[in-house]
Amino acid sequence: MVLSTSAPPPGAPMVSTWFPSSTDPLSILTRADPRALDTLRGRPGSSLSAERRVVDHLRNEFTDYTRDRSTERHREACEAIAARFPHLAHECRLQVRRRNRAEQEAAQLRRRWDPARNTRRDQHRALTQASRRAICRLSVGQAVTFRLARNHYAGTITKVGRSRVSVAYRTRTGRHRDRVRQMHAALVTPLADP
């Protein structure tokens, strides 16, 4: 294979390339053994088309795309391949379209999940701030009530932290009836002032 060192045509993307003079050897190799290009790159074979394998190989082995795998760099590398090898232009357009679609789907997923996570985080922060304000009126040995699942319990504070308290309480049934639970101070109600 002879490497191409010609200057890019005017208006071509600014991506460094060192393409072979022809893709014929790559096409022959990939048609003879569909996994040959993947083996050259150290990857297991798959059921990709010959053109896709050739474009992937050219992009990864004969451009500087591997230094910056951004969507913009992917597009520039595919445009450079299409400009040098017009018979691969259709596959290059398909790969750019496929990459853009994948990026859009990923962005939609991020937008869909981020608000829910932020809402939970904001609720937890609000609970912690309310607990830090409520902790001032609680002390060890103080009787409190709290709700756990569907049941209301009465207990005694055994430890006071920055925003949480440990409460000893007793359940109505069960082998281990005496229990201690750590909870946010905003979730307990004092029965009497300290």
Side-chain angles (χ1 to χ4, degrees):
M1 277 187 218
V2 178
L3 297 180
S4 171
T5 57
S6 61
M14 296 302 298
V15 62
S16 298
T17 62
W18 46 95
F19 291 132
S21 59
S22 170
T23 61
D24 292 341
L26 295 175
S27 298
I28 292 168
L29 182 63
T30 194
R31 282 188 176 81
D33 181 8
R35 289 179 270 195
L37 290 181
D38 292 332
T39 304
L40 284 175
R41 291 180 51 209
R43 291 184 167 180
S46 62
S47 60
L48 301 177
S49 70
E51 289 78 17
R52 185 168 179 183
R53 289 173 192 269
V54 170
V55 170
D56 285 349
H57 188 72
L58 289 171
R59 185 181 60 248
N60 286 291
E61 300 298 326
F62 295 102
T63 68
D64 62 353
Y65 166 72
T66 55
R67 288 190 307 171
D68 174 18
R69 293 183 179 266
S70 67
T71 303
E72 179 66 21
R73 198 66 170 169
H74 179 269
R75 185 187 55 75
E76 289 174 356
C78 285
E79 287 174 357
I81 293 168
R84 176 67 177 90
F85 304 106
H87 64 282
L88 296 173
H90 177 69
E91 178 60 32
C92 291
R93 284 192 301 273
L94 287 176
Q95 288 196 16
V96 168
R97 203 174 306 135
R98 212 177 286 129
R99 173 76 180 255
N100 286 338
R101 191 177 320 123
E103 290 289 330
Q104 288 172 354
E105 289 171 2
Q108 286 176 348
L109 284 174
R110 282 192 300 272
R111 283 192 302 270
R112 185 180 303 156
W113 289 105
D114 280 350
R117 189 166 14 113
N118 290 340
T119 301
R120 283 194 303 269
R121 186 183 309 138
D122 292 342
Q123 289 172 349
H124 185 263
R125 284 181 181 158
L127 179 61
T128 302
Q129 289 173 354
S131 295
R132 286 186 177 159
R133 289 189 299 271
I135 205 88
C136 299
R137 53 189 172 93
L138 301 174
S139 62
V140 174
Q142 186 175 10
V144 293
T145 62
F146 63 94
R147 184 177 176 152
L148 186 59
R150 296 175 304 191
N151 302 315
H152 290 278
Y153 294 97
T156 305
I157 295 176
T158 58
K159 181 180 174 185
V160 176
R162 289 187 304 181
S163 63
R164 296 179 185 229
V165 292
S166 294
V167 179
Y169 64 101
R170 178 172 263 208
T171 60
R172 293 187 183 107
T173 60
R175 201 167 92 188
H176 303 289
R177 294 177 62 188
D178 294 325
R179 300 183 183 180
V180 176
R181 184 175 237 4
Q182 191 175 36
M183 58 184 41
H184 281 91
L187 299 177
V188 300
T189 306
L191 292 175
D193 289 333

